[in-house]
Amino acid sequence: MATIIDGKALAAKCKEEIRQQVSALQRRPGLAVILVGSDPASRVYVTNKEKDCAQCGIYSEEFALPAEVGQRALLELIDELNRREEIDGILVQLPLPRGYDYDEQEVLLSIDPRKDVDAFHPFNVGQIMIGNYTFLPCTPAGVMRMLDEYGINPKGKHCVVVGRSNIVGKPQAMLLLHRHATVTICHSRTQDLGTITRQADILVSAVGKRNLITADMVKEGAVVIDVAMNRDESGKLCGDVDFGPVSAKASYITPVPGGCGPMTRVMLLYNTLAAARLHGKS
Ligand code: NAP
């Protein structure tokens, strides 16, 4: 039976570490969170981020804009925040509302890369590629921190990442590669997914399809990391992995909820702390 990787407990430990580091700074780090529109899930994410900041002594300021505010006003706000000294990090909650003329790429490009705590700006994406990062991609970095905490070293291991999005799959593969894993990336056009996932010593699934990863697709003793957040028919949060049968076969496994989610949140705080240090707050 697999050891459950407790992301919730580790996140609490990380928050305490961040709180102590923040309290040692002479000036508080500051995070601006921009929410456009009224998507309920985005609202929850933003509220949680603000709660996390408060718990760790990070100043946060929320900018809730109506969906119809438009691209130009959004860019003007970002420009102002780029110039405000007490703001170290700027986060635009994605996705931007559909049905309006928002250009997400232009928005991400307009954030000062030195304040880009989500690490979505192409400059920081490039830094991740070459392994010279100030800001870590939050979800993949949370995964790496969990592996480290449980003494799981990716070096020389075959890691299979299912999903190739810019925010999870690709940066996850990069971080594993930087740690000397042999990495295979799978996606929706991958043929015979199970043949590949069965080769994984460490399997990371970041797709968004409930029960995509079944026990027959997992090697005995593999480490299984479930990044996804789906809902089952009763509305309960679940991942990509068929948890019960897979945990009987794996050596380590992350639960959903309580695995990658809390760790993603905590990595944003580390990035905000890193931004504050970058701006000379010590
Ligand atoms: P995304 O942009 O929709 O990407 C999904 C990826 O899965 C794509 O690369 C897609 O392939 C691939 N895919 C789709 N169907 C597949 C299949 N049958 N077999 C293999 N690959 C398949 O999603 P995302 O933003 O990366 O997020 C992935 C999941 O993680 C979602 O459930 C999301 O809610 C969750 N998530 C969780 C956290 C957290 O904090 N825990 C953070 C971010 C995301 P193509 O590229 O070919 O389309």
PDB file of all heavy atoms in Angstrom, residues 207-236:
ATOM      1  N   VAL A 207      -3.875  16.213 -16.512  1.00  0.00           N
ATOM      2  CA  VAL A 207      -4.759  16.231 -17.675  1.00  0.00           C
ATOM      3  C   VAL A 207      -6.093  16.895 -17.359  1.00  0.00           C
ATOM      4  O   VAL A 207      -6.495  17.882 -17.986  1.00  0.00           O
ATOM      5  CB  VAL A 207      -4.966  14.789 -18.223  1.00  0.00           C
ATOM      6  CG1 VAL A 207      -6.030  14.763 -19.308  1.00  0.00           C
ATOM      7  CG2 VAL A 207      -3.653  14.250 -18.779  1.00  0.00           C
ATOM      8  N   GLY A 208      -6.793  16.350 -16.374  1.00  0.00           N
ATOM      9  CA  GLY A 208      -8.135  16.865 -16.082  1.00  0.00           C
ATOM     10  C   GLY A 208      -9.205  15.896 -16.549  1.00  0.00           C
ATOM     11  O   GLY A 208     -10.280  16.318 -16.970  1.00  0.00           O
ATOM     12  N   LYS A 209      -8.891  14.587 -16.469  1.00  0.00           N
ATOM     13  CA  LYS A 209      -9.868  13.556 -16.857  1.00  0.00           C
ATOM     14  C   LYS A 209      -9.922  12.504 -15.765  1.00  0.00           C
ATOM     15  O   LYS A 209      -8.960  11.751 -15.573  1.00  0.00           O
ATOM     16  CB  LYS A 209      -9.473  12.901 -18.183  1.00  0.00           C
ATOM     17  CG  LYS A 209      -9.677  13.783 -19.372  1.00  0.00           C
ATOM     18  CD  LYS A 209      -9.888  12.967 -20.649  1.00  0.00           C
ATOM     19  CE  LYS A 209     -10.446  13.872 -21.729  1.00  0.00           C
ATOM     20  NZ  LYS A 209      -9.492  14.230 -22.758  1.00  0.00           N
ATOM     21  N   ARG A 210     -11.048  12.467 -15.106  1.00  0.00           N
ATOM     22  CA  ARG A 210     -11.226  11.537 -13.999  1.00  0.00           C
ATOM     23  C   ARG A 210     -10.993  10.093 -14.444  1.00  0.00           C
ATOM     24  O   ARG A 210     -11.454   9.684 -15.506  1.00  0.00           O
ATOM     25  CB  ARG A 210     -12.655  11.722 -13.483  1.00  0.00           C
ATOM     26  CG  ARG A 210     -12.945  10.989 -12.244  1.00  0.00           C
ATOM     27  CD  ARG A 210     -14.354  11.259 -11.783  1.00  0.00           C
ATOM     28  NE  ARG A 210     -14.768  10.176 -10.925  1.00  0.00           N
ATOM     29  CZ  ARG A 210     -15.932   9.578 -10.960  1.00  0.00           C
ATOM     30  NH1 ARG A 210     -16.858   9.972 -11.799  1.00  0.00           N
ATOM     31  NH2 ARG A 210     -16.196   8.592 -10.146  1.00  0.00           N
ATOM     32  N   ASN A 211     -10.243   9.349 -13.613  1.00  0.00           N
ATOM     33  CA  ASN A 211      -9.960   7.926 -13.850  1.00  0.00           C
ATOM     34  C   ASN A 211      -9.213   7.654 -15.155  1.00  0.00           C
ATOM     35  O   ASN A 211      -9.290   6.553 -15.699  1.00  0.00           O
ATOM     36  CB  ASN A 211     -11.238   7.078 -13.815  1.00  0.00           C
ATOM     37  CG  ASN A 211     -11.791   6.965 -12.405  1.00  0.00           C
ATOM     38  OD1 ASN A 211     -11.057   7.209 -11.441  1.00  0.00           O
ATOM     39  ND2 ASN A 211     -13.053   6.643 -12.271  1.00  0.00           N
ATOM     40  N   LEU A 212      -8.489   8.645 -15.641  1.00  0.00           N
ATOM     41  CA  LEU A 212      -7.659   8.418 -16.839  1.00  0.00           C
ATOM     42  C   LEU A 212      -6.569   7.391 -16.530  1.00  0.00           C
ATOM     43  O   LEU A 212      -6.236   6.539 -17.354  1.00  0.00           O
ATOM     44  CB  LEU A 212      -7.019   9.752 -17.282  1.00  0.00           C
ATOM     45  CG  LEU A 212      -6.039   9.662 -18.440  1.00  0.00           C
ATOM     46  CD1 LEU A 212      -6.788   9.455 -19.755  1.00  0.00           C
ATOM     47  CD2 LEU A 212      -5.169  10.927 -18.545  1.00  0.00           C
ATOM     48  N   ILE A 213      -6.005   7.504 -15.326  1.00  0.00           N
ATOM     49  CA  ILE A 213      -4.901   6.613 -14.952  1.00  0.00           C
ATOM     50  C   ILE A 213      -5.443   5.495 -14.062  1.00  0.00           C
ATOM     51  O   ILE A 213      -5.767   5.710 -12.890  1.00  0.00           O
ATOM     52  CB  ILE A 213      -3.783   7.397 -14.209  1.00  0.00           C
ATOM     53  CG1 ILE A 213      -3.325   8.632 -15.017  1.00  0.00           C
ATOM     54  CG2 ILE A 213      -2.609   6.477 -13.870  1.00  0.00           C
ATOM     55  CD1 ILE A 213      -2.631   8.342 -16.335  1.00  0.00           C
ATOM     56  N   THR A 214      -5.506   4.317 -14.640  1.00  0.00           N
ATOM     57  CA  THR A 214      -6.020   3.153 -13.905  1.00  0.00           C
ATOM     58  C   THR A 214      -4.838   2.276 -13.464  1.00  0.00           C
ATOM     59  O   THR A 214      -3.707   2.452 -13.949  1.00  0.00           O
ATOM     60  CB  THR A 214      -6.987   2.359 -14.797  1.00  0.00           C
ATOM     61  OG1 THR A 214      -6.361   2.169 -16.077  1.00  0.00           O
ATOM     62  CG2 THR A 214      -8.297   3.110 -15.001  1.00  0.00           C
ATOM     63  N   ALA A 215      -5.123   1.343 -12.557  1.00  0.00           N
ATOM     64  CA  ALA A 215      -4.042   0.554 -11.946  1.00  0.00           C
ATOM     65  C   ALA A 215      -3.209  -0.206 -12.994  1.00  0.00           C
ATOM     66  O   ALA A 215      -1.995  -0.332 -12.850  1.00  0.00           O
ATOM     67  CB  ALA A 215      -4.624  -0.412 -10.923  1.00  0.00           C
ATOM     68  N   ASP A 216      -3.850  -0.668 -14.062  1.00  0.00           N
ATOM     69  CA  ASP A 216      -3.099  -1.433 -15.079  1.00  0.00           C
ATOM     70  C   ASP A 216      -2.114  -0.547 -15.856  1.00  0.00           C
ATOM     71  O   ASP A 216      -1.280  -1.064 -16.593  1.00  0.00           O
ATOM     72  CB  ASP A 216      -4.081  -2.094 -16.061  1.00  0.00           C
ATOM     73  CG  ASP A 216      -4.931  -1.060 -16.785  1.00  0.00           C
ATOM     74  OD1 ASP A 216      -5.572  -0.242 -16.094  1.00  0.00           O
ATOM     75  OD2 ASP A 216      -4.917  -1.035 -18.033  1.00  0.00           O
ATOM     76  N   MET A 217      -2.211   0.767 -15.669  1.00  0.00           N
ATOM     77  CA  MET A 217      -1.302   1.686 -16.380  1.00  0.00           C
ATOM     78  C   MET A 217      -0.114   2.101 -15.515  1.00  0.00           C
ATOM     79  O   MET A 217       0.684   2.942 -15.909  1.00  0.00           O
ATOM     80  CB  MET A 217      -2.068   2.955 -16.806  1.00  0.00           C
ATOM     81  CG  MET A 217      -3.168   2.682 -17.809  1.00  0.00           C
ATOM     82  SD  MET A 217      -4.263   4.090 -17.987  1.00  0.00           S
ATOM     83  CE  MET A 217      -3.265   5.207 -18.952  1.00  0.00           C
ATOM     84  N   VAL A 218      -0.033   1.509 -14.322  1.00  0.00           N
ATOM     85  CA  VAL A 218       0.995   1.937 -13.368  1.00  0.00           C
ATOM     86  C   VAL A 218       1.893   0.760 -13.019  1.00  0.00           C
ATOM     87  O   VAL A 218       1.416  -0.349 -12.766  1.00  0.00           O
ATOM     88  CB  VAL A 218       0.307   2.491 -12.084  1.00  0.00           C
ATOM     89  CG1 VAL A 218       1.336   2.830 -11.012  1.00  0.00           C
ATOM     90  CG2 VAL A 218      -0.541   3.708 -12.423  1.00  0.00           C
ATOM     91  N   LYS A 219       3.193   1.032 -12.994  1.00  0.00           N
ATOM     92  CA  LYS A 219       4.159  -0.019 -12.624  1.00  0.00           C
ATOM     93  C   LYS A 219       4.123  -0.251 -11.114  1.00  0.00           C
ATOM     94  O   LYS A 219       3.963   0.706 -10.351  1.00  0.00           O
ATOM     95  CB  LYS A 219       5.559   0.464 -13.059  1.00  0.00           C
ATOM     96  CG  LYS A 219       6.674  -0.508 -12.794  1.00  0.00           C
ATOM     97  CD  LYS A 219       7.915  -0.127 -13.569  1.00  0.00           C
ATOM     98  CE  LYS A 219       8.728   0.931 -12.854  1.00  0.00           C
ATOM     99  NZ  LYS A 219       9.991   1.202 -13.566  1.00  0.00           N
ATOM    100  N   GLU A 220       4.305  -1.468 -10.699  1.00  0.00           N
ATOM    101  CA  GLU A 220       4.392  -1.801  -9.268  1.00  0.00           C
ATOM    102  C   GLU A 220       5.500  -0.939  -8.624  1.00  0.00           C
ATOM    103  O   GLU A 220       6.620  -0.880  -9.135  1.00  0.00           O
ATOM    104  CB  GLU A 220       4.746  -3.296  -9.157  1.00  0.00           C
ATOM    105  CG  GLU A 220       4.571  -3.906  -7.804  1.00  0.00           C
ATOM    106  CD  GLU A 220       3.104  -4.167  -7.461  1.00  0.00           C
ATOM    107  OE1 GLU A 220       2.364  -4.710  -8.316  1.00  0.00           O
ATOM    108  OE2 GLU A 220       2.732  -3.821  -6.331  1.00  0.00           O
ATOM    109  N   GLY A 221       5.171  -0.246  -7.551  1.00  0.00           N
ATOM    110  CA  GLY A 221       6.182   0.532  -6.821  1.00  0.00           C
ATOM    111  C   GLY A 221       6.426   1.934  -7.367  1.00  0.00           C
ATOM    112  O   GLY A 221       7.294   2.653  -6.860  1.00  0.00           O
ATOM    113  N   ALA A 222       5.670   2.335  -8.377  1.00  0.00           N
ATOM    114  CA  ALA A 222       5.880   3.673  -8.956  1.00  0.00           C
ATOM    115  C   ALA A 222       5.421   4.772  -7.989  1.00  0.00           C
ATOM    116  O   ALA A 222       4.598   4.530  -7.099  1.00  0.00           O
ATOM    117  CB  ALA A 222       5.103   3.795 -10.270  1.00  0.00           C
ATOM    118  N   VAL A 223       5.986   5.966  -8.183  1.00  0.00           N
ATOM    119  CA  VAL A 223       5.530   7.157  -7.457  1.00  0.00           C
ATOM    120  C   VAL A 223       4.492   7.829  -8.348  1.00  0.00           C
ATOM    121  O   VAL A 223       4.774   8.093  -9.529  1.00  0.00           O
ATOM    122  CB  VAL A 223       6.713   8.113  -7.186  1.00  0.00           C
ATOM    123  CG1 VAL A 223       6.224   9.414  -6.565  1.00  0.00           C
ATOM    124  CG2 VAL A 223       7.761   7.433  -6.307  1.00  0.00           C
ATOM    125  N   VAL A 224       3.318   8.095  -7.818  1.00  0.00           N
ATOM    126  CA  VAL A 224       2.234   8.643  -8.648  1.00  0.00           C
ATOM    127  C   VAL A 224       1.790  10.000  -8.105  1.00  0.00           C
ATOM    128  O   VAL A 224       1.366  10.115  -6.953  1.00  0.00           O
ATOM    129  CB  VAL A 224       1.035   7.667  -8.704  1.00  0.00           C
ATOM    130  CG1 VAL A 224      -0.097   8.250  -9.558  1.00  0.00           C
ATOM    131  CG2 VAL A 224       1.469   6.315  -9.276  1.00  0.00           C
ATOM    132  N   ILE A 225       1.942  11.003  -8.949  1.00  0.00           N
ATOM    133  CA  ILE A 225       1.597  12.370  -8.564  1.00  0.00           C
ATOM    134  C   ILE A 225       0.399  12.807  -9.410  1.00  0.00           C
ATOM    135  O   ILE A 225       0.483  12.852 -10.639  1.00  0.00           O
ATOM    136  CB  ILE A 225       2.780  13.346  -8.829  1.00  0.00           C
ATOM    137  CG1 ILE A 225       4.077  12.849  -8.175  1.00  0.00           C
ATOM    138  CG2 ILE A 225       2.420  14.765  -8.412  1.00  0.00           C
ATOM    139  CD1 ILE A 225       4.136  12.929  -6.680  1.00  0.00           C
ATOM    140  N   ASP A 226      -0.672  13.151  -8.726  1.00  0.00           N
ATOM    141  CA  ASP A 226      -1.911  13.522  -9.424  1.00  0.00           C
ATOM    142  C   ASP A 226      -2.133  15.028  -9.286  1.00  0.00           C
ATOM    143  O   ASP A 226      -2.502  15.522  -8.222  1.00  0.00           O
ATOM    144  CB  ASP A 226      -3.080  12.741  -8.781  1.00  0.00           C
ATOM    145  CG  ASP A 226      -4.336  12.786  -9.626  1.00  0.00           C
ATOM    146  OD1 ASP A 226      -4.390  13.580 -10.581  1.00  0.00           O
ATOM    147  OD2 ASP A 226      -5.273  12.022  -9.307  1.00  0.00           O
ATOM    148  N   VAL A 227      -1.887  15.731 -10.369  1.00  0.00           N
ATOM    149  CA  VAL A 227      -1.997  17.201 -10.337  1.00  0.00           C
ATOM    150  C   VAL A 227      -3.438  17.656 -10.573  1.00  0.00           C
ATOM    151  O   VAL A 227      -3.847  18.731 -10.138  1.00  0.00           O
ATOM    152  CB  VAL A 227      -1.066  17.818 -11.414  1.00  0.00           C
ATOM    153  CG1 VAL A 227      -1.269  19.312 -11.538  1.00  0.00           C
ATOM    154  CG2 VAL A 227       0.396  17.516 -11.094  1.00  0.00           C
ATOM    155  N   ALA A 228      -4.213  16.814 -11.226  1.00  0.00           N
ATOM    156  CA  ALA A 228      -5.507  17.273 -11.755  1.00  0.00           C
ATOM    157  C   ALA A 228      -6.530  17.607 -10.671  1.00  0.00           C
ATOM    158  O   ALA A 228      -6.443  17.129  -9.534  1.00  0.00           O
ATOM    159  CB  ALA A 228      -6.082  16.199 -12.674  1.00  0.00           C
ATOM    160  N   MET A 229      -7.462  18.429 -11.056  1.00  0.00           N
ATOM    161  CA  MET A 229      -8.587  18.757 -10.173  1.00  0.00           C
ATOM    162  C   MET A 229      -9.872  18.621 -10.972  1.00  0.00           C
ATOM    163  O   MET A 229     -10.184  19.478 -11.795  1.00  0.00           O
ATOM    164  CB  MET A 229      -8.432  20.181  -9.653  1.00  0.00           C
ATOM    165  CG  MET A 229      -7.309  20.315  -8.634  1.00  0.00           C
ATOM    166  SD  MET A 229      -7.354  21.855  -7.753  1.00  0.00           S
ATOM    167  CE  MET A 229      -7.183  23.011  -9.068  1.00  0.00           C
ATOM    168  N   ASN A 230     -10.556  17.517 -10.750  1.00  0.00           N
ATOM    169  CA  ASN A 230     -11.827  17.268 -11.439  1.00  0.00           C
ATOM    170  C   ASN A 230     -12.919  17.122 -10.389  1.00  0.00           C
ATOM    171  O   ASN A 230     -12.645  17.073  -9.197  1.00  0.00           O
ATOM    172  CB  ASN A 230     -11.738  15.963 -12.229  1.00  0.00           C
ATOM    173  CG  ASN A 230     -10.494  15.875 -13.082  1.00  0.00           C
ATOM    174  OD1 ASN A 230     -10.212  16.792 -13.843  1.00  0.00           O
ATOM    175  ND2 ASN A 230      -9.734  14.797 -12.951  1.00  0.00           N
ATOM    176  N   ARG A 231     -14.139  17.029 -10.839  1.00  0.00           N
ATOM    177  CA  ARG A 231     -15.269  16.767  -9.934  1.00  0.00           C
ATOM    178  C   ARG A 231     -15.909  15.451 -10.347  1.00  0.00           C
ATOM    179  O   ARG A 231     -16.070  15.184 -11.550  1.00  0.00           O
ATOM    180  CB  ARG A 231     -16.329  17.871 -10.047  1.00  0.00           C
ATOM    181  CG  ARG A 231     -15.820  19.244  -9.677  1.00  0.00           C
ATOM    182  CD  ARG A 231     -16.046  19.550  -8.232  1.00  0.00           C
ATOM    183  NE  ARG A 231     -15.318  20.745  -7.827  1.00  0.00           N
ATOM    184  CZ  ARG A 231     -15.087  21.086  -6.567  1.00  0.00           C
ATOM    185  NH1 ARG A 231     -15.501  20.315  -5.584  1.00  0.00           N
ATOM    186  NH2 ARG A 231     -14.435  22.188  -6.283  1.00  0.00           N
ATOM    187  N   ASP A 232     -16.269  14.636  -9.367  1.00  0.00           N
ATOM    188  CA  ASP A 232     -17.002  13.418  -9.707  1.00  0.00           C
ATOM    189  C   ASP A 232     -18.491  13.747  -9.829  1.00  0.00           C
ATOM    190  O   ASP A 232     -18.886  14.909  -9.690  1.00  0.00           O
ATOM    191  CB  ASP A 232     -16.702  12.281  -8.711  1.00  0.00           C
ATOM    192  CG  ASP A 232     -17.266  12.547  -7.323  1.00  0.00           C
ATOM    193  OD1 ASP A 232     -18.081  13.487  -7.170  1.00  0.00           O
ATOM    194  OD2 ASP A 232     -16.884  11.822  -6.394  1.00  0.00           O
ATOM    195  N   GLU A 233     -19.325  12.709 -10.044  1.00  0.00           N
ATOM    196  CA  GLU A 233     -20.747  13.008 -10.316  1.00  0.00           C
ATOM    197  C   GLU A 233     -21.457  13.632  -9.117  1.00  0.00           C
ATOM    198  O   GLU A 233     -22.452  14.322  -9.272  1.00  0.00           O
ATOM    199  CB  GLU A 233     -21.504  11.773 -10.849  1.00  0.00           C
ATOM    200  CG  GLU A 233     -21.462  10.526 -10.004  1.00  0.00           C
ATOM    201  CD  GLU A 233     -20.142   9.766 -10.141  1.00  0.00           C
ATOM    202  OE1 GLU A 233     -19.592   9.672 -11.246  1.00  0.00           O
ATOM    203  OE2 GLU A 233     -19.671   9.277  -9.105  1.00  0.00           O
ATOM    204  N   SER A 234     -20.879  13.445  -7.895  1.00  0.00           N
ATOM    205  CA  SER A 234     -21.516  14.077  -6.730  1.00  0.00           C
ATOM    206  C   SER A 234     -20.857  15.421  -6.403  1.00  0.00           C
ATOM    207  O   SER A 234     -21.119  16.002  -5.349  1.00  0.00           O
ATOM    208  CB  SER A 234     -21.470  13.132  -5.527  1.00  0.00           C
ATOM    209  OG  SER A 234     -20.128  12.804  -5.236  1.00  0.00           O
ATOM    210  N   GLY A 235     -20.009  15.883  -7.285  1.00  0.00           N
ATOM    211  CA  GLY A 235     -19.390  17.197  -7.100  1.00  0.00           C
ATOM    212  C   GLY A 235     -18.144  17.184  -6.232  1.00  0.00           C
ATOM    213  O   GLY A 235     -17.556  18.216  -5.936  1.00  0.00           O
ATOM    214  N   LYS A 236     -17.717  15.979  -5.839  1.00  0.00           N
ATOM    215  CA  LYS A 236     -16.523  15.860  -4.994  1.00  0.00           C
ATOM    216  C   LYS A 236     -15.253  16.030  -5.839  1.00  0.00           C
ATOM    217  O   LYS A 236     -15.184  15.522  -6.964  1.00  0.00           O
ATOM    218  CB  LYS A 236     -16.505  14.476  -4.327  1.00  0.00           C
ATOM    219  CG  LYS A 236     -16.395  14.557  -2.807  1.00  0.00           C
ATOM    220  CD  LYS A 236     -16.431  13.173  -2.189  1.00  0.00           C
ATOM    221  CE  LYS A 236     -15.025  12.628  -2.083  1.00  0.00           C
ATOM    222  NZ  LYS A 236     -14.872  11.224  -1.919  1.00  0.00           N
TER     223      LYS A 236
END
